Amino acid sequence: MSCAVPSAVPSFVPRAVVLDGHIAGAGSQEGTRLVVGRWHRSPVGRFADVMVERPDGTRVLLAPRDDVVGLVTRLYTFDDVRVVEVAVVPDPAARAWTVTAGPLRARLVLGRRTATGRLLGLVPRAVVGARATGGLVDAVARTAVRGVRTRGRGRDGSLEVYAARDQHALVALDAQWDGRDLGGLRPVEPPVRFGFSSVPARPSVTALRVTIEAPAGPATP
């Protein structure tokens, strides 16, 4: 089911909130880029969602419920929002995720921990997520991983802080959109345009905590 793209910033969750989980970013040979979120903790409970940018630049949100739509569109911008069943099923033995979300069917295969993932293991979590050191971490992240920022403003003016804990490479993609094959795995290029940041150009899965602070003023009703 499609729903109207919110024209005003939703007033959902007017306080600081935290999300814990994983984000997978992958490009396809056909040109579609995928950002898959698998969240174990959030203000609306556990959920998965997919942000898609099609080759023509159309930005699509695939979300399982209206409350998830409210949270995600508070922060990011889309041309089309669809409320559909979204499932991300991990297979630890095969090191793969199976993703089903409306028109999307995908299988993502994970590889080894990246160099960035090894470096993240050396950084205390308190340093990565702290506001006092966030600017420094953001500058380092933008230098080390093209297209990535760790701090920025959401659509409603909220401050977002991304504290990554680990990262593994994606090594294969098998995906279809409305039954049409999207081709094999490619870098996430051009960068996706949902908000202030992007996922790394190199396909990967990143474990992270996202802290979203309330905007300075009242949210738009």
Side-chain angles (χ1 to χ4, degrees):
M1 178 182 70
S2 295
C3 62
V5 178
S7 58
V9 176
S11 58
F12 181 78
V13 193
R15 56 184 175 81
V17 297
V18 173
L19 293 84
D20 279 308
H22 295 78
I23 289 178
S28 71
Q29 290 180 344
E30 179 256 9
T32 292
R33 285 93 73 208
L34 309 173
V35 180
V36 180
R38 179 170 170 250
W39 302 104
H40 311 300
R41 173 191 176 193
S42 87
V44 296
R46 297 171 68 96
F47 71 91
D49 69 308
V50 186
M51 296 187 287
V52 181
E53 186 162 350
R54 299 288 283 147
D56 64 0
T58 301
R59 297 162 296 182
V60 184
L61 171 64
L62 305 174
R65 305 186 306 270
D66 288 340
D67 56 355
V68 174
V69 170
L71 175 61
V72 178
T73 59
R74 172 189 170 189
L75 304 169
Y76 304 108
T77 301
F78 303 92
D79 306 298
D80 184 15
V81 174
R82 306 187 192 184
V83 178
V84 297
E85 184 175 351
V86 181
V88 178
V89 180
D91 182 342
R95 294 188 54 79
W97 287 7
T98 298
V99 181
T100 57
L104 177 68
R105 300 289 184 273
R107 186 173 186 269
L108 309 173
V109 179
L110 283 67
R112 295 181 178 179
R113 180 172 282 111
T114 66
T116 299
R118 292 192 293 272
L119 287 172
L120 287 170
L122 303 176
V123 181
R125 294 186 185 183
V127 172
V128 174
R131 291 195 61 177
T133 57
L136 174 60
V137 173
D138 182 42
V140 172
R142 280 185 284 177
T143 300
V145 186
R146 180 164 55 90
V148 170
R149 294 187 60 192
T150 64
R151 291 168 61 90
R153 295 284 173 182
R155 183 170 171 240
D156 69 347
S158 300
L159 174 66
E160 297 177 72
V161 179
Y162 288 69
R165 302 189 302 271
D166 199 359
Q167 186 183 80
H168 286 74
L170 285 175
V171 296
L173 171 71
D174 180 10
Q176 299 82 40
W177 183 268
D178 279 333
R180 179 181 177 183
D181 185 57
L182 300 183
L185 186 67
R186 296 283 292 173
V188 185
E189 293 177 343
V192 291
R193 302 170 301 112
F194 306 116
F196 77 88
S197 186
S198 179
V199 292
R202 179 184 180 186
S204 59
V205 176
T206 303
L208 76 167
R209 168 173 290 185
V210 181
T211 302
I212 307 165
E213 299 189 5
T220 303

